[in-house]
Amino acid sequence: MFADRARIFVRSGKGGDGHVSFRREKYVPAGGPDGGDGGRGGDVIFEVDEGLNTLIDFRNTRKYKAGDGEPGGKRNCRGKDGADIVIKVPPGTVLREAESGQVITDMSGENRRVVLLTGGKGGNGNQHYATSTMQAPKYAQPGQPAQELELLLELKVIADVGLVGFPNVGKSTFLARVTNARPKIANYHFTTLNPNLGVVDLDGSKGFVIADIPGLIEGASEGVGLGHEFLRHIERTKVIIHIVDAAGTEGRDPVQDIYAINKELEAYNPDIAGRPQVIAANKIDAIYDTSESPVAAIRAEFEPKGVPVYPISAVSGEGVKELLYKVNEMLEGLNQEVTVFEREYFPERGFGSSDEPYTVEYDAEEDVYVVEGPRIEKMLGYTNLDSEKGFTFFQNFLKDTGILEELEALGIQDGDTVRMYGLRFDYYK
């Protein structure tokens, strides 16, 4: 099965804690501090793999974690760095933040390798805190915490040209004739369940990549018949070949079919509907009533609107070469760079942000003041409250953030208890 969407959890490595130790050697009765630094946590890295074309691997494995840094050791031994985790994705994969749906990065064009989350920095050992007045510091710095993120992975096929049209108009037959692709071809209304890609080689030209997008029906932009799931694959295409059954072999009006599909494109994304189009009036080999030419009717309707119409037979190959050279001519007049979706979400801004919320409340049942929130939790994770410097930093944090002011506004008095994530402190002004 073709998998073009996946939801995964990624986590970088935590930094190793700094170590507290002192030299213990013979004939050195008062050795100085020699606690080593913690190792750095591993990064989460995404990398393009040209050999992949689906996201099927992410159906089985949904959690990806980099290695944690090891804590420091005695004798100034630095902890080992955590191992990076490299996650391979197909070209064209868009990474989004799961909650907001905003684009973090698009693995397309020149964007081949991205460090999405960086590992936590290792904490300093106690050797760094020795001073003339504090020659035996009994504290070290904790390692920085890991970063984690819930991601939506979305594969958007990279093709220059997209084929659209109702089911059974001959898109798969056309693709098989003009490229090296070998799509499954059968007379079913939903034969193509994944975009088939092929390369068109033309004499005297560099050629282009073409994608057979699954057959659309009316209501596709609203998700009917899985159409909405696959419309995303034409978001990168520069030119659209609109294939229509000119012979009306299934009893439909080809002109109305074209309008119906264009309506779905407009409903899904007006920008896509406005891209250059060429109409391939297919199945001319099946037109037996020559008294009224359906191709002439299609031309009369759309060529005045600037949309060229080419009669073809995907089965016999008649008219196909002329159509391909026209499409190549249209492409040469357009920007050749791959469409890359702009970044909307910046993970690094979400970690350690000074704008993170916190709450200050009074719990009457327990008769304690409660301070909570992600900002408080992270501050406690960084701070060694057992050390004098750490506790001073903690007090300054409460003052600078306005927490002390909020506690006083709630009526806190000397000797009252403050609770923060399982820790309890007595308040004294």
Side-chain angles (χ1 to χ4, degrees):
M1 178 182 177
F2 182 84
D4 64 349
R5 299 187 87 181
R7 187 181 182 116
I8 65 172
F9 170 85
V10 294
R11 174 188 176 277
S12 64
K14 175 189 178 299
D17 295 336
H19 188 70
V20 176
S21 63
F22 300 91
R23 289 175 61 194
R24 292 291 182 266
E25 299 177 31
K26 196 175 183 179
Y27 308 119
V28 185
D34 66 351
D37 300 342
R40 183 178 174 278
D43 298 336
V44 175
I45 301 169
F46 278 82
E47 194 170 82
V48 168
D49 185 339
E50 296 288 349
L52 298 176
N53 55 19
T54 81
L55 300 175
I56 191 70
D57 292 342
F58 298 100
R59 293 286 176 91
N60 302 320
T61 307
R62 295 181 180 271
K63 292 186 177 181
Y64 297 84
K65 298 181 180 180
D68 293 335
E70 294 184 356
K74 299 178 180 179
R75 299 182 180 178
N76 299 328
C77 288
R78 186 180 184 276
K80 184 179 178 181
D81 290 342
D84 296 337
I85 184 169
V86 179
I87 303 172
K88 306 278 189 176
V89 294
T93 302
V94 179
L95 277 57
R96 298 178 183 272
E97 195 275 324
E99 194 66 31
S100 65
Q102 292 181 317
V103 175
I104 299 175
T105 189
D106 182 354
M107 306 298 289
S108 307
E110 301 298 319
N111 195 23
R112 317 295 293 177
R113 182 180 170 92
V114 171
V115 179
L116 190 75
L117 300 178
T118 55
K121 182 182 177 184
N124 290 330
N126 69 332
Q127 59 171 312
H128 292 276
Y129 301 105
T131 65
S132 58
T133 56
M134 174 64 74
Q135 296 184 16
K138 297 180 180 179
Y139 50 84
Q141 184 184 32
Q144 289 184 350
Q147 299 177 359
E148 55 188 44
L149 207 55
E150 194 91 17
L151 297 177
L152 282 178
L153 274 54
E154 193 174 59
L155 179 57
K156 294 178 185 286
V157 169
I158 299 178
D160 302 302
V161 177
L163 304 181
V164 301
F166 271 84
N168 291 342
V169 295
K171 298 194 306 298
S172 295
T173 304
F174 175 81
L175 186 73
R177 170 164 288 278
V178 304
T179 75
N180 57 355
R182 292 294 176 265
K184 294 179 181 179
I185 301 172
N187 189 29
Y188 300 114
H189 279 116
F190 294 100
T191 56
T192 310
L193 289 180
N194 57 289
N196 291 300
L197 266 68
V199 178
V200 176
D201 293 319
L202 294 174
D203 292 338
S205 172
K206 66 178 183 179
F208 50 87
V209 179
I210 193 168
D212 170 19
I213 308 302
L216 303 182
I217 61 174
E218 290 185 77
S221 61
E222 299 172 1
V224 176
L226 298 180
H228 187 272
E229 290 298 307
F230 296 110
L231 276 165
R232 72 172 63 92
H233 290 299
I234 58 175
E235 290 188 7
R236 295 191 198 272
T237 57
K238 300 179 178 68
V239 172
I240 294 173
I241 298 179
H242 197 143
I243 298 185
V244 64
D245 179 0
T249 58
E250 295 194 348
R252 294 197 309 268
D253 181 352
V255 171
Q256 293 306 313
D257 277 5
I258 295 171
Y259 278 122
I261 295 299
N262 283 340
K263 181 181 177 182
E264 295 305 317
L265 296 178
E266 177 74 26
Y268 178 73
N269 188 333
D271 179 56
I272 296 174
R275 290 177 192 172
Q277 249 187 57
V278 58
I279 295 173
N282 192 26
K283 301 189 180 182
I284 58 172
D285 56 307
I287 299 175
Y288 303 111
D289 183 1
T290 57
S291 60
E292 291 186 11
S293 171
V295 175
I298 297 170
R299 279 179 165 158
E301 184 70 25
F302 293 100
E303 287 195 339
K305 298 177 181 179
V307 182
V309 178
Y310 283 79
I312 69 164
S313 170
V315 173
S316 68
E318 182 181 353
V320 169
K321 183 177 289 187
E322 291 81 1
L323 170 66
L324 295 178
Y325 275 103
K326 174 60 178 178
V327 171
N328 192 63
E329 178 187 318
M330 295 168 71
L331 286 171
E332 287 178 347
L334 299 172
N335 183 357
Q336 295 302 307
E337 291 183 4
V338 174
T339 301
V340 178
F341 295 91
E342 292 186 8
R343 193 177 189 190
E344 302 169 328
Y345 185 90
F346 299 82
E348 61 272 16
R349 295 179 184 174
F351 303 109
S353 169
S354 60
D355 296 329
E356 289 181 313
Y358 64 85
T359 58
V360 180
E361 298 174 338
Y362 174 66
D363 187 334
E365 289 186 8
E366 292 190 29
D367 190 27
V368 296
Y369 292 84
V370 182
V371 182
E372 292 181 328
R375 189 176 182 187
I376 310 301
E377 188 175 18
K378 289 182 180 179
M379 182 277 301
L380 290 173
Y382 276 104
T383 310
N384 183 358
L385 297 179
D386 293 331
S387 72
E388 182 180 347
K389 285 186 178 180
F391 199 80
T392 300
F393 171 80
F394 167 69
Q395 290 179 309
N396 290 335
F397 170 84
L398 297 179
K399 181 179 179 181
D400 295 341
T401 53
I403 292 175
L404 289 182
E405 187 176 342
E406 291 189 42
L407 287 169
E408 290 170 1
L410 290 174
I412 195 169
Q413 301 294 323
D414 284 359
D416 287 347
T417 302
V418 180
R419 189 184 74 214
M420 298 185 189
Y421 289 97
L423 300 175
R424 291 174 178 263
F425 308 92
D426 291 331
Y427 173 82
Y428 290 99
K429 192 169 183 179

